[in-house]
Structures are given as structure tokens and as C-alpha cells.
């Protein structure tokens, strides 16, 4: 059994979906998360068992609303989508065909998707097709994850564009930045998967555009609006993170041989392992908590509690933590600021800045 399988133990492997892979790019510095995801451990089940369930999961109302919006955008062979693509990408409607990959049945969908994209890439400029329900794949730490983009559009001029349909509203041209960032990370996973597929088939992977088409409802009405979102930065982080996942051996090297995150599920599938023991095991793998974890990782409440107990500067966000470079706890920072603590080697500059900040604060309050 390899070390990752041993980390998972008897817990069934949780397949990665695009949302989970996208979240890897949200906190690339976290060893705990890299190990849990690399081993395919169900973080949601672990968080529940630890008594720190995450606030994720959409309400039934939001799911129904999202499905209805997607159905509207894709109705009549993606007619509404084609209207938007025509404006946004200059797709001439006369040249566009609609292809629903789902028609072949789930078991053949991946092979059929590959064959269709291979043919489209060979046909060149004349293959103006919108592909609905394609099935892509990406390798993660030795396993294959299957991914379903909402749509992939192929533009005349030889470029593929990923289309991501989301039901959060764009109001007066503005959408919630965190929702857009999450959609961009997810779309970047599809861009990466499609680029890898094209490369395997011997085509230029850069024929998949780094601009993805984000479709959202406008001004709370159901009328969809499409915008282009550049996902180059997300792609870069994702590539690095996936490379790191294939080199997990280095992260495992620093951990005790017998360490396992096994939940020891019973016959009913529920964990039987003592929660305190699991918590101790998780604490052996270094976390890098940041407030963004609250939107992206199932273990967020557990890690936040740990950071609070340690008085870690992580709680203040990545920007502050990085500014405090090397000062790990709030207590340490306060001690350096008021002079109660002497700076360690290499901390002289940050101690000087903290003392200045403390002096300015006192002057303001005086
Ligand atoms: S919640 Fe914890 S495990 Fe998840 S990414 Fe943040 S620090 Fe890492």
C-alpha cells in the first residue's frame, strides 16, 4: 500500500470534481489540504466527525433556480447561448452546429468527447460547433478525475472557449467578486483539462482560449448576459498545484510513517474513529489557514479554531500575515510592538516597524 492509500486507510476514496480541483488553487500553500485531497479523503465527512461541519452546499431553492437558468440558456439547441456568443466572440450563426455529447450514454462519453474534439481540431476553421455535456478528465496524484463543463464552444478561427453558466446575478454590470473568482477557478480547471486532451491528441493546447465565457442572469431577471473572463492567473496556480500533488512524496517525507487520516467507517458508512484522535492526526500536517478558506475548504471551521487557539496571524488574512513575515502569532507581534519581547535574529526590521506602528497608535489615541 502506498503512503497516500495508507493515509486514507479504510475510508472510501472521494472522487474529485471540478469544484474541488478548483479549490486547490485557492490555497496552494496548505500541506494539510494537499495531503487530504491527494489521498482522496472526504474532507466534508472528516469535518462533520470533528464537530466542525462546513457551511457549504446550496439550498434546494438555489439548486432549482440554477438548473432552471441553465435550461433556459441551453434551450432549443443553445439558441440563447449562440445569440450571446455571436456578439461576444463574433460567431457567425450560419456556421454553428450543436452537438450534445450526452446522447451516447455516460460510459462512452469521455471517449466520444475525445473523438469529437480531435475531429474538430483537425477540421480547422470550418468546425464551428457548440458541444453540450462533454466529459473531460484530469490526473490528480495518480488518479483520474472526470469533469463536466457546462458547455464548450468552438469558434471559427480555430479556438475553443469554455462556457460556464452560473446563476449569481450581474447587477449594473457588476457581480459578487468572490463568486466570479470561484467561477474563474472552476472554468480554469476545464481549460486545463481540455488543453491536456488536445496535447495528448497531438494538437496545439493553446487552441483552448484562456478567456472563458461566463454566463449569468442580468439584474435579477432571467435574461442571460455573457462576459469574457481571463483565467491565466488561475491556470498558473492550478498547474503548480497539480504538479505539487504529483510530488506529494516530499510532503509525506516529513510525517511519521504510521500517520493516517482514516475515518474507520462502520457498516453504516459513518466514521467510528475517536474524533480527538483524528484531530491529533490532522494537526501533524501543517495547515495554512486564511479567511478565504471559509469559502473553499470543508475543514475551514476546524482550521480556524486551531488558528484561534494558537493566536496565529493567519486569522488576519494572507496580506497581514505576509507583511508580518516570520511573526507567527498575534501575541508575538504585540510583544515586539510594545518592546516586551526582544526581536529574534532576522526580526529586527519587522520589530522596528511594529514599534513605530504602536507609537503612532498611542499618539492617535492620546
Ligand atoms: S481550511 Fe485548513 S486544510 Fe483547508 S485549505 Fe484552509 S488551512 Fe488548509
Amino acid at each position: 500500500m502506498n503512503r497516500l492509500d495508507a493515509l486514507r486507510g479504510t475510508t472510501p476514496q472521494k472522487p474529485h470534481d471540478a469544484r474541488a480541483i478548483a479549490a486547490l488553487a485557492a490555497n496552494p500553500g496548505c500541506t494539510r489540504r494537499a495531503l487530504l485531497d491527494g489521498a482522496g479523503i472526504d474532507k466534508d465527512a472528516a469535518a462533520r466527525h470533528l464537530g466542525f461541519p462546513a457551511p457549504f452546499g446550496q439550498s434546494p431553492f438555489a439548486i432549482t433556480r440554477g438548473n432552471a437558468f441553465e435550461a433556459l440558456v441551453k434551450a432549443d439547441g443553445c439558441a440563447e447561448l449562440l445569440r450571446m456568443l455571436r456578439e461576444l466572440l463574433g460567431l457567425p450563426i450560419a456556421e454553428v452546429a450543436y452537438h450534445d455529447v450526452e446522447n451516447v450514454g455516460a460510459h462512452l462519453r469521455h471517449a466520444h468527447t475525445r473523438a469529437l474534439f480531435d475531429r474538430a481540431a483537425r477540421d480547422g476553421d470550418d468546425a464551428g460547433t457548440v458541444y453540450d455535456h462533454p466529459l473531460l478528465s484530469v490526473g490528480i496524484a495518480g488518479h483520474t478525475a472526470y469533469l463536466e463543463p457546462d458547455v464548450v464552444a468552438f469558434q471559427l478561427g480555430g479556438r475553443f472557449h469554455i462556457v460556464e453558466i452560473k446563476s449569481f446575478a450581474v447587477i449594473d454590470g457588476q457581480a459578487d467578486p468572490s463568486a466570479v473568482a470561484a467561477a474563474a477557478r472552476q472554468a480554469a480547471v476545464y481549460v486545463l483539462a481540455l488543453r491536456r486532451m488536445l496535447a495528448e491528441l497531438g494538437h496545439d493546447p493553446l487552441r483552448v482560449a484562456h478567456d472563458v465565457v461566463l454566463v449569468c442572469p442580468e439584474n435579477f431577471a432571467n435574461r442571460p448576459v455573457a462576459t469574457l473572463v481571463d483565467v491565466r492567473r488561475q491556470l498558473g496556480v492550478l498547474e503548480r498545484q497539480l504538479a505539487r500533488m504529483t510530488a506529494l512524496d516530499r510532503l509525506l517525507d516529513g510525517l511519521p510513517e504510521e500517520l493516517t487520516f482514516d475515518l474507520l467507517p462502520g457498516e453504516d458508512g459513518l466514521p467510528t474513529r475517536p474524533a480527538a484522535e483524528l484531530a491529533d492526526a490532522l494537526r501533524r500536517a501543517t495547515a495554512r489557514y486564511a479567511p478565504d478558506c471559509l469559502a473553499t475548504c470543508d475543514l475551514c471551521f476546524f482550521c480556524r479554531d486551531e488558528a484561534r487557539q494558537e493566536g496565529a496571524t493567519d486569522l488576519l488574512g494572507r496580506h497581514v500575515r505576509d507583511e508580518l513575515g516570520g511573526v507567527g502569532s498575534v501575541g508575538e507581534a504585540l510583544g515586539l510592538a510594545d518592546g516586551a519581547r526582544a526581536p529574534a535574529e532576522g526580526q529586527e526590521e519587522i520589530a522596528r516597524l511594529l514599534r513605530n506602528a504602536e507609537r503612532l497608535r498611542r499618539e492617535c489615541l492620546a
Side-chain angles (χ1 to χ4, degrees):
M1 191 191 292
N2 72 30
R3 297 270 317 264
L4 283 177
D5 288 340
L7 271 189
R8 195 177 63 252
T10 56
T11 311
Q13 186 171 24
K14 182 161 165 96
H16 295 88
D17 59 14
R19 215 177 262 251
I21 300 168
L24 291 173
N27 193 356
C30 180
T31 299
R32 182 178 295 166
R33 174 165 191 144
L35 290 172
L36 286 161
D37 282 339
I41 291 167
D42 186 340
K43 297 192 296 301
D44 177 45
R48 285 176 193 286
H49 188 51
L50 292 164
F52 291 96
F56 300 137
Q58 287 180 302
S59 70
F61 171 73
I63 292 171
T64 308
R65 187 171 175 275
N67 289 343
F69 180 67
E70 185 172 333
L72 179 120
V73 173
K74 290 185 175 182
D76 302 325
C78 289
E80 188 65 9
L81 178 64
L82 289 173
R83 174 189 68 75
M84 290 180 286
L85 292 179
R86 221 168 51 235
E87 289 166 17
L88 198 69
L89 302 175
L91 273 180
I93 189 116
E95 306 280 353
V96 174
Y98 171 77
H99 205 113
D100 191 349
V101 186
E102 200 166 49
N103 289 338
V104 296
H107 59 297
L108 287 174
R109 202 142 57 100
H110 185 243
H112 191 49
T113 302
R114 271 176 78 94
L116 283 172
F117 278 86
D118 188 28
R119 198 169 70 208
R122 280 182 209 291
D123 282 356
D125 285 0
D126 293 335
T129 308
V130 167
Y131 298 94
D132 202 355
H133 304 111
L135 192 66
L136 307 174
S137 68
V138 75
I140 298 179
H143 297 283
T144 302
Y146 289 94
L147 315 164
E148 298 180 76
D150 288 336
V151 184
V152 180
F154 185 57
Q155 187 197 4
L156 289 188
R159 303 205 82 191
F160 295 93
H161 283 83
I162 296 288
V163 178
E164 187 66 15
I165 303 170
K166 293 287 179 197
S167 59
F168 57 81
V170 175
I171 301 154
D172 296 333
Q174 299 285 323
D176 173 5
S178 61
V180 175
R185 283 196 297 267
Q186 194 174 337
V189 178
Y190 300 137
V191 172
L192 183 89
L194 190 51
R195 282 187 172 178
R196 289 190 175 179
M197 180 193 280
L198 285 190
E200 281 166 25
L201 291 166
H203 304 295
D204 178 4
L206 295 183
R207 289 178 69 175
V208 185
H210 57 251
D211 286 325
V212 301
V213 180
L214 180 61
V215 178
C216 297
E218 192 173 25
N219 297 335
F220 295 116
N222 247 358
R223 185 177 164 80
V225 62
T227 36
L228 284 177
V229 179
D230 184 342
V231 299
R232 264 177 293 186
R233 191 181 60 76
Q234 291 83 352
L235 271 171
V237 178
L238 199 58
E239 294 259 24
R240 283 196 297 279
Q241 188 66 350
L242 288 179
R244 189 166 174 255
M245 301 280 282
T246 58
L248 285 174
D249 290 353
R250 263 182 284 127
L251 300 180
L252 287 163
D253 277 350
L255 298 173
E257 279 288 330
E258 70 289 355
L259 183 74
T260 177
F261 301 141
D262 196 346
L263 303 178
L264 294 173
E267 278 183 8
D268 55 3
L270 294 174
T272 60
R273 188 175 185 187
E277 194 184 298
L278 176 64
D280 281 345
L282 285 171
R283 288 195 191 99
R284 307 294 286 267
T286 318
R288 198 159 189 226
Y289 179 77
D292 315 24
C293 293
L294 294 173
T296 52
C297 183
D298 293 293
L299 278 179
C300 56
F301 286 160
F302 174 76
C303 297
R304 184 177 67 173
D305 182 69
E306 178 187 55
R308 271 190 185 146
Q309 287 187 28
E310 292 169 358
T313 52
D314 295 352
L315 285 168
L316 305 171
R318 278 178 212 171
H319 181 70
V320 176
R321 182 187 62 197
D322 294 348
E323 289 274 316
L324 285 170
V327 178
S329 78
V330 176
E332 194 182 347
L334 292 175
L336 290 171
D338 65 16
R341 187 185 183 103
E345 202 180 325
Q347 284 187 332
E348 296 83 2
E349 178 59 15
I350 187 70
R352 188 182 64 74
L353 291 170
L354 285 166
R355 279 199 298 269
N356 270 347
E358 173 64 6
R359 181 178 53 74
L360 288 171
R361 189 184 76 93
R362 282 188 199 186
E363 283 173 13
C364 289
L365 293 176

